[in-house]
Amino acid sequence: MKGEGRARFLLRILNRFFTIFLIVAFVITASTMLFVSVLSVTLELTLTGENLGLAAKLTFANTVLLSLLFTAIDLLRHHLTVERPVKKITEAAERMIAGDFTVRIKSSPPGFTDGHFNEIIDCINKVAEELSGVETLRTDFIANVSHEMKTPLAAIRNYGKLLEAPSLPEEERVAHARAIIDATRRLSDMMTNVLKLSRLENQKIYPKAERYDLGEQLCEELLQYETVWEGRGIEIETEIEEGVTVRADRELLSLVWSNLFSNAFKFTERGGKVTLRLFVDGGYAVVRVEDTGCGMSPEVGAHIFEKFYQGDTSHAAAGNGLGLPLVKRVVDILQAEIAVESTVGEGSVFTVRIGRDKNGLQENR
């Protein structure tokens, strides 16, 4: 392979030399003939065969020397302005193919290369940076999924072993079976949310806008948690403005409300209060979900939309850290807005602003 490479290199040099030689020979010959012709006519000189032979030899030698000089200059120019940046780009691409996304290519100084190469280098650096971020997210995502699966799987295994005991009382057998069912439900919910989030992040779910009453949807979603708030004695307060319509994907927004309500009830202690408000603010329909739960610090609030992040580990068994990232992704797809205000020990307020339907038109800004 090295021999073939050298042969190709020599062939390329010879090809470049003869190309330049022909160009230089044509230019020098034409220029010399024109010069001699004008000079002989002007000075009325008679050119002999000996003079012409000597001039031809000198012209040929000059042509060869100039061709060699121009070839060397052209090879140096080609090496500096073409081969070197191409080599850097090729090596970087090979490293990226091998999975190294930390590679960055240094741009060539102005004047040392074609400016288009620097444009390609900038693009490759941006691609490497994006791929590096995606790879980090993918690795973290897999690690987090694996970690989150261990807890319910361990519970299923442990309770399954306990059920094998022949002398186990019926009451404990039922409790262990219920624990296994809860663990499998957690696994199922986590896998469902992972698939939903994956489809949303890969834009495999596209919004299907329809006009509908937002207040009715909120009431329907809230009523699904009636047994939860009644069983825990949580007070419910609603302030829903009538006739607020939106043009959006009903199913996607349903994911937002169900996750926000689920979080509100999960973090609100017995005897607490959850408030739902819907009102109009200019061209927006504003939904506020408030709770009197444990609240969170600003440090925790800065990460709540990250996958698998759970600021309050005491409630980790009730969720998998995918609900709020799912909410954030849906809100982004629908070009809406979400904000959170929270105080430790007092509760949290999630506010969603979505463009209001006005005369059948969506007013997203």
Side-chain angles (χ1 to χ4, degrees), residues 215-229:
E216 292 181 2
Q217 183 188 39
L218 289 169
C219 291
E220 292 172 0
E221 292 293 336
L222 184 61
L223 286 173
Q224 294 184 20
Y225 294 88
E226 185 175 6
T227 56
V228 177
W229 80 61

Side-chain angles (χ1 to χ4, degrees), residues 3-36:
E4 293 179 3
R6 291 195 190 98
R8 286 195 297 268
F9 177 71
L10 290 174
L11 185 62
R12 187 167 64 249
I13 292 177
L14 289 174
N15 181 60
R16 193 179 299 273
F17 171 76
F18 282 116
T19 301
I20 293 176
F21 175 79
L22 291 174
I23 295 172
V24 172
F26 173 78
V27 172
I28 291 179
T29 301
S31 300
T32 302
M33 289 179 64
L34 179 62
F35 174 75
V36 171

Side-chain angles (χ1 to χ4, degrees), residues 82-91 117:
V82 178
E83 290 182 358
R84 182 179 290 182
V86 167
K87 184 179 180 181
K88 291 195 298 184
I89 292 171
T90 303
E91 290 176 349
F117 280 114

Side-chain angles (χ1 to χ4, degrees), residues 220-247:
E220 292 172 0
E221 292 293 336
L222 184 61
L223 286 173
Q224 294 184 20
Y225 294 88
E226 185 175 6
T227 56
V228 177
W229 80 61
E230 287 183 348
R232 297 172 58 188
I234 296 176
E235 180 186 351
I236 299 297
E237 179 180 335
T238 58
E239 296 179 11
I240 298 178
E241 187 174 325
E242 295 184 358
V244 179
T245 60
V246 294
R247 184 178 294 277

Side-chain angles (χ1 to χ4, degrees), residues 31-86:
S31 300
T32 302
M33 289 179 64
L34 179 62
F35 174 75
V36 171
S37 175
V38 172
L39 186 65
S40 62
V41 172
T42 303
L43 300 179
E44 298 181 353
L45 296 176
T46 301
L47 299 176
T48 65
E50 184 180 353
N51 292 334
L52 290 175
L54 179 60
K57 291 177 183 179
L58 291 174
T59 301
F60 179 79
N62 190 35
T63 301
V64 172
L65 290 174
L66 287 176
S67 298
L68 288 172
L69 178 62
F70 290 161
T71 299
I73 294 173
D74 185 61
L75 286 173
L76 180 61
R77 178 202 62 80
H78 188 267
H79 174 73
L80 294 176
T81 62
V82 178
E83 290 182 358
R84 182 179 290 182
V86 167

Side-chain angles (χ1 to χ4, degrees), residues 104-117:
R104 298 293 184 272
I105 310 174
K106 187 177 180 181
S107 298
S108 301
F112 281 84
T113 184
D114 190 333
H116 295 299
F117 280 114

